[in-house]
Amino acid sequence: GCRRMNNFNTLLAIISGLNMSPVTRLKQTWEIVDAKRKRQLQELESLVSPEHNYKQYRTALSLLLSDQSSSPSSITSSPALSPTTTTTPTTSTPTNQPSLSYSRTLIPILSLYLKDLLFINDGNKKFVSDGLINFAKLRMIHRSVAQFMTLTVGARLDSTAGSVLSQVDPNVVHFAKNLKALKEVQLIKYSNLCETKDGVVRMVNKWNEEEKK
């Protein structure tokens, strides 16, 4: 569902949760998961994998932004730059109007923008030769911030237009706001309740018994 809605931020959170040790240790439980679902999970893991600076995710995001771009000169229509590159990026004329037509929901990995800004700042000098300001660095910072702000502004406009983004179930909002994060000790406890160290699948057996009733 998150992938179909292009909600990469929640997708990464779910994948990260499924790869935590209290979940991965459930060997017997994972064995009864349908092979098709396992393949889908592997594909999603590859999509948000941090390998090569999130290459697959950045490629997918760039394609989505290009598809939704309403202007050939949009700042988001060209591929994302590596945060540590010192090559001068192509400039574009800033605009206060969103450059995307929001026919689809698109929520990027929010933490990656902070990571990019950190790498751009730390990986590029403030001044170049002869004490001149490194405008290439400033352009890369602007590019990252402008893309994020464009998505933010576009989402607000899409919401006011009465799209699916504005059709929020208050029960879902209440549930999300009151979610409590479990500590590692609690996660291990619940993991052992599902499957013991000896491989006895407690919860699955209980579920199967309840289905037979």
Side-chain angles (χ1 to χ4, degrees):
C2 289
R3 179 62 186 94
R4 286 195 299 270
M5 294 187 293
N6 300 316
N7 186 348
F8 296 105
N9 195 66
T10 301
L11 174 61
L12 178 60
I14 293 173
I15 294 297
S16 299
L18 291 174
N19 279 282
M20 294 181 68
S21 57
V23 180
T24 57
R25 65 170 290 277
L26 304 174
K27 305 298 182 183
Q28 299 298 323
T29 304
W30 280 107
E31 284 185 6
I32 63 176
V33 176
D34 184 70
K36 179 181 178 182
R37 301 303 181 191
K38 288 182 179 179
R39 288 194 300 271
Q40 291 175 336
L41 178 59
Q42 290 174 350
E43 292 173 359
L44 295 174
E45 287 176 336
S46 297
L47 177 62
V48 294
S49 170
E51 291 185 359
H52 306 294
N53 195 20
Y54 291 88
K55 181 179 180 180
Q56 287 198 40
Y57 160 72
R58 291 182 188 275
T59 300
L61 180 63
S62 179
L63 290 173
L64 285 169
L65 292 173
S66 297
D67 290 342
Q68 298 192 51
S69 176
S70 60
S71 172
S73 60
S74 168
I75 193 169
T76 58
S77 62
S78 54
L81 291 173
S82 174
T84 56
T85 181
T86 56
T87 304
T88 303
T90 304
T91 59
S92 60
T93 304
T95 176
N96 293 326
Q97 297 299 324
S99 57
L100 303 177
S101 56
Y102 286 83
S103 57
R104 293 183 255 174
T105 305
L106 202 168
I107 304 177
I109 299 175
L110 305 180
S111 60
L112 200 54
Y113 282 98
L114 298 178
K115 176 178 177 289
D116 286 351
L117 290 173
L118 178 64
F119 272 82
I120 291 171
N121 185 60
D122 292 348
N124 297 274
K125 295 180 179 180
K126 185 180 295 185
F127 300 98
V128 292
S129 58
D130 301 327
L132 298 176
I133 296 175
N134 187 356
F135 279 98
K137 174 181 178 177
L138 298 179
R139 291 190 186 101
M140 285 187 285
I141 293 175
H142 168 265
R143 186 185 187 86
S144 184
V145 173
Q147 185 184 89
F148 178 77
M149 293 304 296
T150 301
L151 290 169
T152 303
V153 173
R156 288 202 299 267
L157 290 178
D158 200 36
S159 179
T160 57
S163 71
V164 68
L165 292 177
S166 63
Q167 301 172 12
V168 180
D169 188 334
N171 294 322
V172 174
V173 174
H174 177 76
F175 174 79
K177 286 184 175 181
N178 290 277
L179 279 175
K180 295 182 179 180
L182 297 177
K183 297 181 179 179
E184 186 174 359
V185 175
Q186 294 173 303
L187 291 173
I188 295 174
K189 174 186 175 181
Y190 288 120
S191 178
N192 287 322
L193 286 174
C194 292
E195 185 176 317
T196 66
K197 294 180 179 179
D198 299 328
V200 178
V201 186
R202 296 175 174 176
M203 298 304 294
V204 172
N205 293 337
K206 181 179 179 181
W207 295 331
N208 289 336
E209 291 175 1
E210 290 180 353
E211 288 182 357
K212 292 178 182 178
K213 294 180 181 180

